[in-house]
Amino acid sequence: MTSTNGSALKIAEDTYQVSTPLGLHLESNVYLRIYRNGSQQLNMLIDPGAKRHLPALQQNLGSLIGGLDKVNVAFINHQDPDVVFNTAYFQELNPKLFVLCSEDTWRLIDFYGLNPRLYKGVESFPGLRAKINTGQLIDFVPSRYCHFRGSMMLYDRETRVLYSGDFLGGLTYVESSYVDDRHWEGIRTFHQIYMPSRQAMKLAVESIRNLDPKPILIAPQHGGMIQGRWIDYYLSKIEKLPVGLDLIAYEHLRENYVAMMNEVFMELNRLLGPEEFAASIKHLRDDGSFTTLVTFDQNGFSDFKGDPNSMLDSFIDSISRRHPNRLERIRQILIRVILSHSLPLPGQLLPDNLKPDKLFT
Ligand SMILES: [Fe+2]
Ligand SMILES: [Fe+2]
C-alpha cells in the first residue's frame, strides 16, 4: 500500500501524503486526493497545513499535479492554524479554490480572508454525502468536540480512507508512517492534551464503527496512519481513555496522579537504568519525607495520602537530593509527564518567569 513519488507517500490509489516529516514531536500531515474520470480531474487537498509545510507541498504537488495552483478544493477538518493556515495562500494562487468545511469551522476560518462565494458548508449536502463531479462519493462524518464542536472527518468511499483530523492523531515518539502498538504513548498523550472528554471520543468512535463499508485506512492530521487490524485496536483503546475534563474531574484525579507517577517512574527507569532506578526507589522508600505519603504495590506506585501537591513536592525534593547532576533532565521528564496528564505543575517546576513572585512584585 505504500510507495513514494518524490517525497510524497502514496497511501491509496490517487492518494498521497504530501507533507514531509520535519523531525518534530507534533508533525502535521497534509493529504492529496486526486479524483479522475476520463480526462476530468479534481485535486482535493485535505487539511492544507502551515507555512512550514510549503517546501514539501511545492515539491510534491509540483510533481503530482503540476503545482500549488492546481489544487481545486481544500477540505478543512477544523479551524486550527496547523490545519488551515495555507488555505488563503492556495486561494491566492488559484482564485477558484473551493473550500469545504462545517459551518462552525467556516465562521472562524472566514477570518483568514477566504472568498465566501467559494465555500460550501458540508451540512448542506443531504445525508452529509457529496458526489464529486468526477463521480466519486464522499461522506462527511462529524466528530463533535474532537476537539472542536464543528470538527468534521472526511470519508472517501472509493479508497475507504477516513481523514480524521486531530482525532486519532498522535505525537511522534516513534518515527514511522503507519502505527503499531509502539505508537500508543504518542496517541494517548496527544488525546489527553487536546481532547475535551471521553464521552465526545466515544461518539466519534461510534461514528467510525458505523461506517459502511468500513475504512481500511485512517489518515489523521498528526502522527502515523492507522491501517488494518490497528483500526479496531486503537478505536477500543481510545474510547476507554480519560482525557481533558475527565482527568481533572474529582473522581479521576487520584487515579490520574497515580498513573502520572507510574509514568514518571517508567521514564526514570529508562533514564537511570534499572539498577540505579531500583536503588533510587529504595532511597525514596527509606526517605521518610516521601514514603510516609505514598504506598507501593507489586505494580509500582499505588496510592498516596493527602494532597497531591505535597506528595509531588516531597518526591521532587527526594529525587533531586539523590541525583543532583541529572536534575535538569529529571525536571524535563516531570514537566512533560505532568502536563501530558493535564495536571498543574507544582511551583518548583514552573519556569522562573512564571513564578508568582515574578508576576506580582
Ligand atoms: Fe486542532
Ligand atoms: Fe491539529
Side-chain angles (χ1 to χ4, degrees), residues 78 80 82-83 147 166 221-222:
H78 65 293
D80 276 355
D82 58 325
V83 176
H147 59 96
D166 281 342
Q221 197 238 341
H222 301 286

Side-chain angles (χ1 to χ4, degrees), residues 48-63:
K51 224 170 178 173
R52 61 171 66 147
H53 305 117
L54 281 175
L57 295 181
Q58 194 137 24
Q59 186 197 342
N60 293 329
L61 298 186
S63 64

Side-chain angles (χ1 to χ4, degrees), residues 299-356:
N299 299 318
F301 185 97
S302 60
D303 203 0
F304 60 92
K305 292 185 206 129
D307 131 66
N309 283 324
S310 317
M311 178 275 290
L312 256 180
D313 277 340
S314 165
F315 170 68
I316 295 166
D317 289 344
S318 285
I319 198 87
S320 309
R321 279 201 300 277
R322 169 93 185 169
H323 299 285
N325 301 330
R326 311 192 91 155
L327 211 51
E328 203 32 54
R329 186 73 194 99
I330 292 172
R331 278 172 61 89
Q332 284 169 4
I333 289 176
L334 282 161
I335 291 173
R336 183 164 60 75
V337 177
I338 293 171
L339 289 180
S340 81
H341 282 257
S342 299
L343 292 168
L345 286 178
Q348 54 176 316
L349 291 180
L350 286 175
D352 282 346
N353 60 343
L354 288 182
K355 287 188 175 157

Side-chain angles (χ1 to χ4, degrees), residues 163-218:
Y163 301 93
S164 62
D166 281 342
F167 189 54
L168 297 165
L171 299 179
T172 302
Y173 295 148
V174 179
E175 280 174 37
S176 68
S177 301
Y178 294 91
V179 304
D180 54 37
D181 57 343
R182 295 169 303 156
H183 292 71
W184 173 237
E185 191 184 346
I187 292 176
R188 179 184 57 71
T189 306
F190 180 76
H191 285 73
Q192 290 193 317
I193 296 172
Y194 287 104
M195 296 294 150
S197 89
R198 177 165 47 189
Q199 204 183 348
M201 301 202 309
K202 273 183 122 155
L203 289 173
V205 165
E206 209 175 291
S207 310
I208 296 176
R209 289 210 176 106
N210 287 338
L211 291 175
D212 183 19
K214 289 189 179 313
I216 52 177
L217 180 70
I218 295 182

Side-chain angles (χ1 to χ4, degrees), residues 90-106:
F90 277 99
Q91 201 167 60
E92 263 173 47
L93 298 176
N94 172 14
K96 291 184 175 160
L97 177 91
F98 201 87
V99 172
L100 273 180
C101 62
S102 72
E103 286 164 10
D104 285 331
T105 293
W106 174 259

